[in-house]
Amino acid sequence: MADNSGAVEAEGHYDVRKGAAAYAPIVGAFGALAVPTVTVLFTSAHHGKGILVTLATGLLVVAIIASLTGSIGLAAIGAEQDETANLPPAVMCIAVAVVVSIVSVLAAFEVLAALYLPTARTLFSLITGVGGLAGGYFTSFAIGDSYRTGPRDPQVRPGWLKKQWIQDQEYAYRQAQFIASVGAIPILVAMAARAFIGHFTPTAASVNTLVGVGLLLAMVGVFLGVQRTAHAFSNEDQKSVRRSEAYGTTAAVTLYTVALIVLLP
């Protein structure tokens, strides 16, 4: 397929706006499903195991807040009219909140297993790791077609591309795969350690840390993502995904997943 300047381009690409619009209601519903579980935990008696109830409840509350705010951020991206270069990094930032929501719910299931099915704790901790692997992959996925976004004017686009980190389609896909692979390594190591070495006993400090860090990552991710949806002024260049954003978002979800795997009961 030829563009306006006569150059040949590969056909087909992922439209991040349509994807975000489709994900928004799913992510919002996911968080709402955690509400009944929180209600049950608050009304159940677990004598001598209050710290586990606190951890499970805290993780579910993190999931609720992260998913609801993340769904609003995704809906905002879905409302965009133009496929500007700032949208892929905006999605990556908001995806941090979405992944935090997913792994927090899975981690809460592991804590519930520690309460009711102690022999299944390792299994559910590994499931939490699998959720983190999937989340890290989908976070980096936005890089793949980020090359397609940006100015459409054939007289402006070549000069603009030279200033960007991602300058062609092949490099974009290589970076997406590389970042996803690098992000998976710590999670796989943590899963192996959990399966063959063991786990830490939860303390009040570790519970507060896991819940607090989860809330912080979700709020910062949504805030940065929404800020990234701001449009460039007429005298400014569009700002495509930066290396720090690509690596930083993947590192955030990876390290949080690792912390959950290691510190869960």
Side-chain angles (χ1 to χ4, degrees):
M1 180 179 68
D3 60 17
N4 295 332
S5 63
V8 177
E9 294 184 354
E11 294 184 0
H13 74 284
Y14 175 81
D15 190 332
V16 72
R17 298 168 301 168
K18 295 179 180 179
Y23 297 148
I26 299 173
V27 173
F30 181 76
L33 292 175
V35 175
T37 309
V38 173
T39 304
V40 171
L41 286 171
F42 274 134
T43 57
S44 301
H46 297 279
H47 301 292
K49 296 184 178 180
I51 194 167
L52 295 184
V53 175
T54 300
L55 178 56
T57 305
L59 290 172
L60 289 170
V61 171
V62 169
I64 293 170
I65 295 174
S67 61
L68 293 179
T69 55
S71 66
I72 295 172
L74 291 174
I77 293 174
E80 291 284 342
Q81 293 186 353
D82 299 318
E83 200 173 7
T84 51
N86 58 311
L87 297 184
V91 165
M92 294 188 72
C93 291
I94 295 174
V96 172
V98 176
V99 178
V100 166
S101 175
I102 293 171
V103 296
S104 294
V105 167
L106 295 175
F109 289 160
E110 193 278 346
V111 180
L112 293 176
L115 285 169
Y116 299 104
L117 301 168
T119 57
R121 289 180 298 179
T122 300
L123 173 62
F124 278 91
S125 65
L126 296 180
I127 292 174
T128 301
V130 172
L133 289 172
Y137 171 77
F138 285 114
T139 300
S140 62
F141 180 72
I143 302 173
D145 281 316
S146 61
Y147 164 75
R148 293 286 188 171
T149 61
R152 292 299 177 203
D153 188 336
Q155 296 182 345
V156 175
R157 185 170 177 80
W160 176 82
L161 273 176
K162 292 179 180 179
K163 303 176 185 178
Q164 308 306 312
W165 172 48
I166 301 294
Q167 298 184 1
D168 60 68
Q169 191 79 64
E170 182 180 0
Y171 185 71
Y173 280 121
R174 285 207 314 267
Q175 283 298 309
Q177 294 166 0
F178 175 75
I179 291 174
S181 300
V182 170
I185 293 174
I187 297 177
L188 292 173
V189 171
M191 292 171 66
R194 177 67 189 240
F196 298 107
I197 298 177
H199 61 87
F200 291 103
T201 301
T203 63
S206 67
V207 169
N208 293 335
T209 298
L210 286 176
V211 174
V213 171
L215 285 173
L216 180 63
L217 287 177
M219 292 299 94
V220 171
V222 172
F223 174 78
L224 292 178
V226 173
Q227 288 293 107
R228 258 323 225 131
T229 63
H231 306 125
F233 294 113
S234 58
N235 60 342
E236 291 182 331
D237 287 336
Q238 294 185 29
K239 298 177 181 178
S240 185
V241 59
R242 304 183 182 98
R243 192 188 304 268
S244 58
E245 292 170 327
Y247 283 84
T249 52
T250 303
V253 299
T254 295
L255 294 178
Y256 185 62
T257 302
V258 169
L260 287 173
I261 296 172
V262 172
L263 297 177
L264 286 175

